[in-house]
Amino acid sequence: GSQKVIVFKEVPQLGSLEITKDSSNYSLTDNNKDCYSLEGTVFTVTHKQTGKKYTLTTNIKVDDGSATVKYKGVLKDIPVGEYTIKEKQAGKGYVLSTKATNVTIVGNKTSKVTIKNEPDNDPVIILVNKTDKNGKPLAGAEFTIKFYKGYFTEQEIISGKAESAFKR
């Protein structure tokens, strides 16, 4: 006289994604946090099969002893499958990457990806003309150009405040 009903429910497999941002040029970015930061890099992560989009922001500091501080972001409990990662917003001082990265999310695991960014080195073109008070060119003038790691006003450089940041 009794009936047993059994219901099967398919539980979707879930995994996680961890993206770590790194610099591609340590000579510019090492110990130069005033000009460069990988914190706040924003990615769009798109599931290839469903088209569902997720946003991931690198806001977790990675303490690996590196002179350039890396940051990571994590997406937890996302469906397994193939994903495409595209950078939507670069960190301070870095060039926005146009490269897409593919990753496979596996159930109950964290897929880890490290993406390196090119620092924007803000190339400067300098044209210097030395002239007399009448505007006539003066030959043989010499100039010194200095590179400081950080942003400094002319007054800070003249006062000597920037000397500790003098690099080359």
Side-chain angles (χ1 to χ4, degrees):
S2 68
Q3 180 180 15
K4 291 185 180 183
V5 176
I6 300 173
V7 177
F8 292 95
K9 182 177 176 185
E10 186 175 330
V11 178
Q13 286 265 338
L14 301 175
S16 297
L17 172 64
E18 177 181 295
I19 300 175
T20 300
K21 287 301 294 181
D22 196 1
S23 172
S24 67
N25 186 345
Y26 295 126
S27 68
L28 286 176
T29 60
D30 277 1
N31 297 312
N32 202 1
K33 65 181 180 192
D34 292 335
C35 295
Y36 301 99
S37 176
L38 294 162
E39 182 178 23
T41 304
V42 179
F43 294 95
T44 299
V45 180
T46 306
H47 192 278
K48 286 185 178 182
Q49 289 79 13
T50 66
K52 181 166 174 138
K53 294 180 185 287
Y54 300 87
T55 299
L56 180 144
T57 303
T58 57
N59 55 10
I60 302 166
K61 187 176 182 179
V62 176
D63 190 10
D64 65 355
S66 172
T68 293
V69 179
K70 299 174 185 119
Y71 279 85
K72 68 180 177 180
V74 179
L75 281 176
K76 293 184 179 183
D77 300 326
I78 59 175
V80 299
E82 299 291 322
Y83 286 81
T84 300
I85 303 166
K86 290 187 180 177
E87 191 169 299
K88 183 177 176 182
Q89 177 183 322
K92 176 182 163 186
Y94 287 88
V95 177
L96 181 68
S97 175
T98 58
K99 180 183 170 190
T101 303
N102 296 314
V103 65
T104 301
I105 302 300
V106 180
N108 301 317
K109 295 192 182 208
T110 299
S111 298
K112 297 181 179 186
V113 176
T114 297
I115 299 175
K116 293 193 174 204
N117 262 82
E118 178 183 340
D120 189 2
N121 64 1
D122 196 17
V124 177
I125 299 171
I126 301 172
L127 175 62
V128 180
N129 291 315
K130 182 73 174 179
T131 60
D132 65 16
K133 64 181 179 180
N134 298 319
K136 291 186 180 182
L138 294 174
E142 292 184 16
F143 299 89
T144 300
I145 298 172
K146 294 183 178 182
F147 173 78
Y148 293 88
K149 286 191 125 183
Y151 294 113
F152 298 97
T153 65
E154 182 179 359
Q155 293 80 13
E156 290 172 322
I157 293 170
I158 292 169
S159 72
K161 181 178 180 182
E163 281 307 306
S164 62
F166 176 69
K167 185 67 179 168
R168 60 181 179 262

